[in-house]
């Protein structure tokens, strides 16, 4: 029994399943407590192990994707408590190790750890009421789950620096213009749109999808030359799969492909 979230395989395509994880701690605006993040990590482990799950959508409520780490839970922690805790390193970062595609469907506040969690997903679709920010400076700390690094890579130094130093929030329009979110949709279309996008991804060959995700992510870790070399090796290896043969034969025969994840 999950206390702070629900997760379910909502859509079964003719090929793969799409899972929807909903953070469900509405009274605290989905503040990310150690228990909540542990549950999230556990759910991801289950979905990773499930061969049929092909993509995951992570969402919160209409008012808050997540308003950050649980300030009340951590306010009295000592240096040693926070240093020794696996709160951020071992639990939150499980989402960054998750190999299948993840979409953050953000409505309302995505602040502090909430913004960091959304940025750990592969991309963000925002509702028109979404608000993003790294307000840690206003409570005497700094982002500790990748905010200074991922936000800077996504929106550039100037905007990231201003947001981290002032705690200013970005609305959905600014977030889209800055490249933090892929698109904005009306609030009531957020989940259908995110699920439809995940469903599209789930209709592809899973191993090829994993390679594509790995290749894009390598752009953050490697030099351009290393990244291009890595991409080429992965491209070559797609030709060792049955799904590459099926995809290209289906195109030639003017029919939809039937991928077998092989
Ligand atoms: C992960 C790290 C390392 O990067 C660190 C962090 O994430 S630190 C946390 C960063 N986040 C914040 O500083 C945001 C804190 N929240 C707010 O500023 C406001 O709640 C708000 C602007 C998001 C919404 O304001 P409002 O509509 O006025 O609602 P509230 O009455 O403030 O909140 C309702 C309810 O939720 C509780 N709440 C909200 N955020 C948190 C939080 N991060 N941790 C714990 N609890 C939170 C808030 O206390 C209220 O509960 P009650 O006091 O009414 O029981």
């Amino acid at each position: 029994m999950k206390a702070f979230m629900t997760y379910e395989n909502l859509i079964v395509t003719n090929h793969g399943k799409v899972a929807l994880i909903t953070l469900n701690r509405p009274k605290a605006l989905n503040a990310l407590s150690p228990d909540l993040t542990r549950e999230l990590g556990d759910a991801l482990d289950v979905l990773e192990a499930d061969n049929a799950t092909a993509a995951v959508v992570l969402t919160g409520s209409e008012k808050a994707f997540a308003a950050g780490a649980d300030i009340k839970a951590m306010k009295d922690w000592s240096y040693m408590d926070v240093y020794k805790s696996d709160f951020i390193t071992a639990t939150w970062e499980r989402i960054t190790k998750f190999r299948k595609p993840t979409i953050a469907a953000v409505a309302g506040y995505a602040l502090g750890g909430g913004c960091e969690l959304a940025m750990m997903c592969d991309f963000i679709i925002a509702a028109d009421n979404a608000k993003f920010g790294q307000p840690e400076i206003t409570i005497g700390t700094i982002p500790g789950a990748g905010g200074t690094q991922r936000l800077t890579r996504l929106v550039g130094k100037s905007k990231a620096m201003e947001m981290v130093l002032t705690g200013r929030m970005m609305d959905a329009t600014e977030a889209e213009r800055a490249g933090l979110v892929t698109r904005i949709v009306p609030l009531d279309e957020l989940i259908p749109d995110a699920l439809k996008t995940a469903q599209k991804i789930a209709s592809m060959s899973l191993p090829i999808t994993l390679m594509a995700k790995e290749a894009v992510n390598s752009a953050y870790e490697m030099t351009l030359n290393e990244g291009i070399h890595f991409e080429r090796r992965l491209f070559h290896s797609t030709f060792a799969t049955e799904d590459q043969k099926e995809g290209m034969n289906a195109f030639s025969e003017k029919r939809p492909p039937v991928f077998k994840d092989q």
Side-chain angles (χ1 to χ4, degrees):
M1 178 65 186
K2 302 283 169 203
F4 298 122
M5 43 166 276
T6 59
Y7 74 97
E8 52 197 321
N9 274 310
L10 266 191
I11 295 181
V12 182
T13 68
N14 59 356
H15 177 246
K17 289 191 284 186
V18 169
L20 176 68
I21 300 180
T22 308
L23 304 180
N24 187 20
R25 206 189 162 200
K27 285 193 187 140
L29 304 184
N30 289 330
L32 301 163
S33 64
D35 286 341
L36 186 155
T37 51
R38 216 165 285 124
E39 276 186 19
L40 176 60
D42 291 347
L44 290 172
D45 285 350
V46 171
L47 295 169
E48 186 88 271
D50 176 17
N51 285 334
T53 300
V56 174
V57 173
L58 175 63
T59 196
S61 69
E62 291 190 356
K63 180 157 187 202
F65 176 75
D70 190 329
I71 300 167
K72 292 170 192 165
M74 69 183 169
K75 67 184 178 50
D76 295 323
W77 283 358
S78 67
Y79 168 81
M80 264 314 147
D81 291 333
V82 69
Y83 181 73
K84 287 197 289 193
S85 135
D86 68 355
F87 179 38
I88 285 168
T89 45
T91 55
W92 294 46
E93 290 191 352
R94 280 153 89 178
I95 194 155
T96 65
K97 308 278 182 286
F98 190 72
R99 295 180 71 204
K100 298 170 184 175
T102 50
I103 303 172
V106 173
Y109 296 109
L111 300 181
C115 186
E116 291 168 308
L117 182 60
M119 291 189 292
M120 287 178 200
C121 295
D122 293 321
F123 58 92
I124 302 172
I125 300 176
D128 47 16
N129 74 340
K131 283 193 164 54
F132 298 87
Q134 297 292 159
E136 288 88 343
I137 197 97
T138 67
I139 53 167
T141 185
I142 69 167
T148 63
Q149 305 304 301
R150 291 195 177 92
L151 188 65
T152 305
R153 280 168 167 79
L154 286 165
V155 307
K157 179 183 163 189
S158 207
K159 213 173 256 293
M161 190 67 95
E162 189 214 347
M163 289 176 69
V164 168
L165 295 185
T166 67
R168 180 176 78 81
M169 290 182 216
M170 236 188 222
D171 65 17
T173 307
E174 185 181 1
E176 186 190 32
R177 215 180 297 130
L180 178 58
V181 312
T182 181
R183 66 173 165 276
I184 306 169
V185 295
L187 179 57
D188 60 353
E189 287 171 28
L190 178 67
I191 303 302
D193 186 285
L195 288 173
K196 197 170 154 212
T197 307
Q199 193 176 358
K200 175 84 179 157
I201 294 170
S203 71
M204 312 293 173
S205 160
L206 181 58
I208 305 296
T209 299
L210 300 184
M211 287 187 213
K213 170 169 171 168
E214 213 180 335
V216 173
N217 280 337
S218 74
Y220 280 102
E221 311 291 342
M222 297 178 183
T223 65
L224 181 61
N225 265 336
E226 287 165 347
I228 286 173
H229 185 73
F230 181 61
E231 177 197 80
R232 194 161 305 146
R233 287 285 167 263
L234 286 175
F235 166 71
H236 293 161
S237 61
T238 63
F239 283 72
T241 67
E242 289 179 24
D243 285 344
Q244 172 270 329
K245 299 286 170 290
E246 169 61 12
M248 295 193 185
N249 280 327
F251 174 82
S252 307
E253 293 160 15
K254 300 188 188 305
R255 61 170 175 80
V258 182
F259 293 126
K260 291 191 193 138
D261 296 342
Q262 295 292 322

